[in-house]
Amino acid sequence: MTPSPPSRPCCAPLLTDALSNEEVSRLAVLFRVLGEPTRLHLLRLIAAQPGGEVCACDLVEPLGLAQPTVSHHLKVMYDAGLVERDRRGTWIYYRIVPGAIALLRDALT
Amino acid sequence: MTPSPPSRPCCAPLLTDALSNEEVSRLAVLFRVLGEPTRLHLLRLIAAQPGGEVCACDLVEPLGLAQPTVSHHLKVMYDAGLVERDRRGTWIYYRIVPGAIALLRDALT
DNA sequence: CTCCTATATTGACATGCATCGATATAGCCT
DNA sequence: AGGCTATATCGATGCATGTCAATATAGGAG
């Protein structure tokens, strides 16, 4: 998997530079992931942890949703490259990918 | 209804501190507006104009979509407070609302 | 090996939404 | 008035997606 364009890491500023259709699509995917209140809550819960990571088991109850639903949203965020996971025994810990948020923020410059 | 459940105080840097459910929903609405490639293209087209505004008639052809489709997306962006419009005779000019993008960028800090 | 817990996946359902053609509205011009 | 252009709205259609119960998978503990 080497979809990275040679020119830039991901995306240049959205409103100023010339972006390829793939860059626009990639940005849209990331923004759409954030375009769900449930996933925004998830992101905030993960970011809120002191160590920057949180066990998936601690995400179900605060959201008030079924476990498969939470798992689904975590997968969406994982597939989008927004979070990374780390299995430690029975539990799986999620972290926000460093720079993923900054990438979006830079696109809005 | 008490909005904020401060069970997990958590770190504030990523998506700001304690947000009410309404604030999270509002952010999600804005992100979802950007979560469509067509609307991202529209935003870039509007931002690319020298005067910062563009006639709606100049947005249909570059997108390659039907006129009602473009009008629909412009309405979505307008309802979300992302763009403002200004009728000038037969034509309607769209501008990006000042600070709308910055608001989202600040939310990602 | 057998339970138990944690997480993911599947299948189904309902809702949301992007898109279009057809039509309506609005404003200019002659 | 009538005709023309620009834009919005309506109605329909097909696809994407959020949600859940049920089930599968994975790993630890006894």
Side-chain angles (χ1 to χ4, degrees):
Chain A
M1 41 151 85
T2 56
S4 50
S7 52
R8 290 178 290 264
C10 164
C11 305
L14 171 66
L15 301 181
T16 56
D17 287 358
L19 270 65
S20 68
N21 281 359
E22 286 103 20
E23 287 174 299
V24 171
S25 296
R26 163 133 182 79
L27 278 178
V29 167
L30 287 170
F31 280 128
R32 176 154 39 191
V33 171
L34 298 186
E36 282 296 334
T38 298
R39 289 195 283 263
L40 274 190
H41 275 123
L42 272 175
L43 209 66
R44 297 188 63 237
L45 282 171
I46 300 175
Q49 305 307 314
E53 63 182 8
V54 61
C55 172
C57 60
D58 290 330
L59 294 174
V60 174
E61 192 225 291
L63 286 179
L65 294 174
Q67 177 266 326
T69 303
V70 177
S71 184
H72 162 70
H73 285 301
L74 287 172
K75 176 180 172 54
V76 170
M77 296 167 72
Y78 177 81
D79 290 343
L82 221 63
V83 299
E84 53 192 8
R85 57 188 165 198
D86 177 22
R87 171 152 231 153
R88 221 168 296 162
T90 309
W91 300 274
I92 299 185
Y93 290 84
Y94 280 87
R95 289 182 302 276
I96 296 182
V97 168
I101 300 297
L103 185 146
L104 284 177
R105 193 183 56 237
D106 294 346
L108 293 177
T109 301
Chain B
M1 45 170 69
T2 57
S4 51
S7 53
R8 297 281 174 159
C10 81
C11 61
L14 185 60
L15 293 181
T16 77
D17 338 59
L19 267 65
S20 69
N21 282 358
E22 287 119 22
E23 287 173 299
V24 171
S25 296
R26 163 135 183 81
L27 277 178
V29 166
L30 287 171
F31 280 128
R32 173 151 32 186
V33 171
L34 298 186
E36 282 296 334
T38 298
R39 288 195 284 263
L40 277 189
H41 275 123
L42 271 175
L43 209 66
R44 299 188 61 239
L45 283 172
I46 299 176
Q49 304 307 315
E53 65 181 7
V54 61
C55 172
C57 60
D58 291 330
L59 294 173
V60 173
E61 191 227 289
L63 286 179
L65 293 175
Q67 178 265 329
T69 303
V70 177
S71 185
H72 162 72
H73 286 301
L74 287 172
K75 176 179 172 55
V76 170
M77 297 167 72
Y78 178 81
D79 291 342
L82 222 61
V83 299
E84 54 191 8
R85 57 188 165 196
D86 178 22
R87 171 150 232 151
R88 222 168 297 160
T90 309
W91 301 274
I92 300 185
Y93 290 83
Y94 281 85
R95 288 182 302 276
I96 297 182
V97 168
I101 301 297
L103 186 146
L104 285 177
R105 193 181 57 236
D106 293 346
L108 293 177
T109 302

